[in-house]
Amino acid sequence: MEASALFSTAFSPPSIHLRSRILTKSRPHVFPTKKTSFHPLLRSPPPVATNAGRLFFTTTSKPSLFTSLPKPLKPISAASTSVSSIAEPKKTQLQGAKIIPLALSIAIGLLVRFVVPKPVEVTAQAWQLLSIFVSTIAGLVLSPLPVGAWALLGLTTTIITKTLTFTTAFSAFTNEVIWLIVISFFFARGFVKTGLGDRIATYFVKWLGKSTLGLSYGLTLSEALIAPAMPSTTARAGGVFLPIIKSLSLSAGSKPNDPSSRKLGSYLIQSQFQSAGNSSALFLTAAAQNLLCLKLAEELGLVIASPWVSWFKAASLPAFVSLLLTPYILYKIYPPETKDTPEAPAMAAKRLEAMGPVTTNEWVMIGTMILAVSLWVLGDKIGIPSVVTAMLGLSVLLLLGVLEWDDCLSEKSAWDTLTWFAVLVGMAGQLTNLGIVTWMSSCVAKFLQSFSLSWPAAFGVLQGAYFLIHYMFASQTGHVGALYSAFLAMHLAAGVPGVLAALALAYNTNLFGAQTHYSSGQAAVYFGAGYVDLPDVFRIGFIMACINAVIWTVVGGAWWKFLGLY
């Protein structure tokens, strides 16, 4: 409400006309642009001033219930457009790699290569590749360059040092799973572009939003419904759920970076953030890292039959239990000040009315995703690989105009993922082929055997270590690329049943995405909203990690025993 008042005051017609007169008086070349959209509350469009080829303009878009309002226009002062400020060239800063992270990343690899003694069982080629791989992983953590650029440098190093041939180094770029992940990003863009994800979530708010707890359940269940067809947790968080949560919170007087954040916004953010990991773990296609996990498992000889169905069947019971308990547990340990939200269903109804009927593009999106999910479920039986299903779905969206090729080209995260996923998968695969993973797993197995641990005990120790190590990572997929193969090999060496080990590690990969404010893409999105303090992120993240561990161990363990996984 306060935001609306501020908006109407800052954008009142007199202030706009006054600004226009000032600009016209000081600069004769002032004119309204036809292409600039403006808020319907304005009586005239904002002016555009030009001076020496410099363009000043402000565009606003139609306000939405679930989008933040535009910021007030900043006054254009004479100082901001002085001749000296225009003529004087900007001082460019040196760009490139960050020196200290670069030096540390390279030093770690050099230490492995030249200081750490090479085991007798390992070849010189394998040890050299391991040093490059370790340096690459260190760079992914320390970030001397963007992830894709650093991965490309690591790949180039393997070729220059003749550790790998060009063909071998780039072989992973034809990997089916990697292209399935890339196409998944395009599907997520389709959900956001058509507004289908927003519509589905808004319906759940209308149906369950009379209380804060019901509102939380509505958002949680809507994400679980969208997840299998929108395989990006970050896209779901930033493109669908955060705008809705912010709108509902502001309407209840709960503002970010303010004591009032605890009224509603803090709880909704935490509930959605902690539930997202279980939604991602529920379906194979709900997150990119899920597909990568199964591909790396295949590299170690573990091929899971009917992967989509097998994944869902094993995850269903523990994931559903966690999804049902998480909002309620947080309601008790991190309660909102506002308990009832009677206005939320009315807001949602107005939003749906403003959206109008389901558009043709939304129907196409619905039909395409039903087709894709059906073929993912039945693909093994009818001989259609998952990546072919994804390609078919994308082709339909392109042919019918739901997506344009420019949409795909502008999806930078997809192409970046293609680069560094392929590099990590390729290196990990070659490390397996050269015997490094087998050597490492045998060393760990001997260590565990020295404690006379049974395979269930070794399973618990390794799963716990894999989970806690994520405090050192800022990416779920980076964690998978660095450690999944090694930990799976350790499980196998300790006698843990293969399918159980592969799936449990993969499920954990989703659950530890809510540990910290940097542990995943959605973590950065939700923390950046300003509703949750940093100490609370770590505290709630640790508490919910323990609760999820109990649920997935007790409920999941019994369920997996029933399914015959061990």
Side-chain angles (χ1 to χ4, degrees):
M1 299 303 178
E2 292 85 355
S4 300
L6 178 61
F7 175 74
S8 60
T9 302
F11 282 81
S12 61
S15 64
I16 295 296
H17 294 316
L18 178 59
R19 185 189 304 278
S20 178
R21 290 198 296 271
I22 293 173
L23 286 171
T24 306
K25 187 174 181 180
S26 59
R27 297 178 182 81
H29 303 293
V30 179
F31 54 92
T33 174
K34 294 180 179 179
K35 295 182 179 180
T36 304
S37 62
F38 55 94
H39 195 278
L41 294 178
L42 300 180
R43 296 176 184 172
S44 61
V48 177
T50 61
N51 189 352
R54 190 169 180 175
L55 181 67
F56 298 91
F57 65 96
T58 302
T59 61
T60 57
S61 58
K62 187 176 179 180
S64 165
L65 176 65
F66 295 131
T67 54
S68 58
L69 297 173
K71 295 180 180 179
L73 291 170
K74 294 181 180 180
I76 303 175
S77 62
S80 66
T81 59
S82 63
V83 175
S84 60
S85 65
I86 296 175
E88 183 180 356
K90 293 182 179 180
K91 295 181 180 179
T92 58
Q93 296 180 345
L94 292 176
Q95 297 180 349
K98 301 172 186 176
I99 301 301
I100 295 179
L102 174 66
L104 289 174
S105 301
I106 295 176
I108 291 172
L110 292 176
L111 284 172
V112 173
R113 177 66 180 85
F114 297 106
V115 178
V116 178
K118 181 183 74 67
V120 178
E121 304 91 335
V122 177
T123 64
Q125 179 190 8
W127 196 249
Q128 184 160 289
L129 179 59
L130 177 62
S131 66
I132 297 172
F133 182 74
V134 169
S135 182
T136 302
I137 296 302
L140 295 182
V141 176
L142 299 174
S143 299
L145 283 173
V147 173
W150 182 251
L152 184 62
L153 287 180
L155 190 66
T156 303
T157 304
T158 64
I159 299 172
I160 291 177
T161 59
K162 297 183 178 180
T163 307
L164 298 175
T165 64
F166 182 89
T167 303
T168 303
F170 278 85
S171 61
F173 280 84
T174 61
N175 188 289
E176 292 182 2
V177 171
I178 293 175
W179 280 101
L180 179 57
I181 293 170
V182 171
I183 296 173
S184 296
F185 281 96
F186 302 150
F187 282 172
R189 189 176 185 90
F191 258 82
V192 175
K193 182 179 179 180
T194 61
L196 179 60
D198 191 5
R199 184 184 296 274
I200 292 172
T202 305
Y203 268 113
F204 274 93
V205 172
K206 178 183 177 181
W207 295 332
L208 301 174
K210 291 184 179 180
S211 66
T212 301
L213 185 59
L215 188 60
S216 176
Y217 274 113
L219 294 172
T220 297
L221 294 176
S222 62
E223 177 159 15
L225 179 64
I226 294 172
M230 193 174 183
S232 170
T233 51
T234 306
R236 296 199 300 267
V240 177
F241 293 101
L242 181 59
I244 293 176
I245 291 173
K246 288 179 66 176
S247 178
L248 292 169
S249 300
L250 289 173
S251 69
S254 181
K255 302 175 184 177
N257 302 308
D258 187 84
S260 63
S261 63
R262 288 301 302 270
K263 285 185 177 180
L264 184 65
S266 297
Y267 167 72
L268 291 181
I269 288 286
Q270 282 283 22
S271 178
Q272 198 68 17
F273 179 33
Q274 295 297 332
S275 298
N278 286 288
S279 298
S280 298
L282 184 56
F283 302 100
L284 175 61
T285 52
Q289 61 268 12
N290 297 347
L291 302 164
L292 181 60
C293 287
L294 292 198
K295 179 58 185 176
L296 293 176
E298 287 183 19
E299 297 285 348
L300 293 177
L302 278 175
V303 179
I304 299 176
S306 301
W308 204 96
V309 175
S310 298
W311 178 290
F312 174 75
K313 189 186 298 183
S316 57
L317 188 59
F320 280 133
V321 171
S322 289
L323 286 171
L324 290 175
L325 290 180
T326 295
Y328 180 77
I329 292 172
L330 286 170
Y331 191 80
K332 293 298 183 181
I333 66 174
Y334 194 73
E337 295 176 2
T338 301
K339 306 295 183 181
D340 298 312
T341 54
E343 72 284 356
M347 291 177 62
K350 290 181 181 179
R351 173 58 178 156
L352 289 169
E353 184 179 353
M355 286 181 177
V358 179
T359 63
T360 302
N361 282 351
E362 287 178 276
W363 281 119
V364 172
M365 195 74 207
I366 292 171
T368 302
M369 297 319 301
I370 291 175
L371 172 64
V373 172
S374 299
L375 290 179
W376 279 329
V377 172
L378 303 173
D380 280 1
K381 295 181 180 179
I382 60 179
I384 299 179
S386 297
V387 67
V388 175
T389 296
M391 292 171 66
L392 177 62
L394 178 60
S395 298
V396 171
L397 297 179
L398 290 171
L399 284 171
L400 298 181
V402 176
L403 286 177
E404 298 177 357
W405 186 239
D406 282 344
D407 294 322
C408 298
L409 292 177
S410 61
E411 192 65 37
K412 295 180 180 179
S413 57
W415 303 112
D416 184 53
T417 300
L418 170 64
T419 301
W420 71 278
F421 261 28
V423 172
L424 288 180
V425 170
M427 285 190 182
Q430 291 304 313
L431 286 173
T432 301
N433 293 338
L434 295 173
I436 285 290
V437 174
T438 302
W439 167 75
M440 292 177 62
S441 62
S442 63
C443 292
V444 174
K446 291 178 182 178
F447 176 76
L448 293 175
Q449 288 172 1
S450 66
F451 291 95
S452 300
L453 295 179
S454 60
W455 76 256
F459 175 80
V461 170
L462 291 172
Q463 290 287 334
Y466 182 76
F467 194 100
L468 293 174
I469 287 175
H470 193 65
Y471 278 106
M472 300 170 58
F473 282 86
S475 165
Q476 290 165 290
T477 47
H479 187 140
V480 171
L483 297 177
Y484 182 88
S485 295
F487 269 83
L488 180 55
M490 294 175 199
H491 278 75
L492 297 177
V496 180
V499 175
L500 174 65
L503 290 177
L505 286 172
Y507 297 148
N508 260 336
T509 300
N510 293 285
L511 298 178
F512 59 45
Q515 277 181 310
T516 66
H517 63 300
Y518 59 83
S519 56
S520 60
Q522 69 268 25
V525 170
Y526 285 128
F527 177 72
Y531 277 97
V532 183
D533 294 330
L534 191 57
D536 287 335
V537 174
F538 278 86
R539 180 174 63 86
I540 297 298
F542 180 78
I543 292 173
M544 292 309 301
C546 294
I547 292 173
N548 277 320
V550 172
I551 293 173
W552 281 78
T553 299
V554 176
V555 178
W559 179 238
W560 298 333
K561 179 68 174 178
F562 174 78
L563 293 177
L565 295 184
Y566 68 94

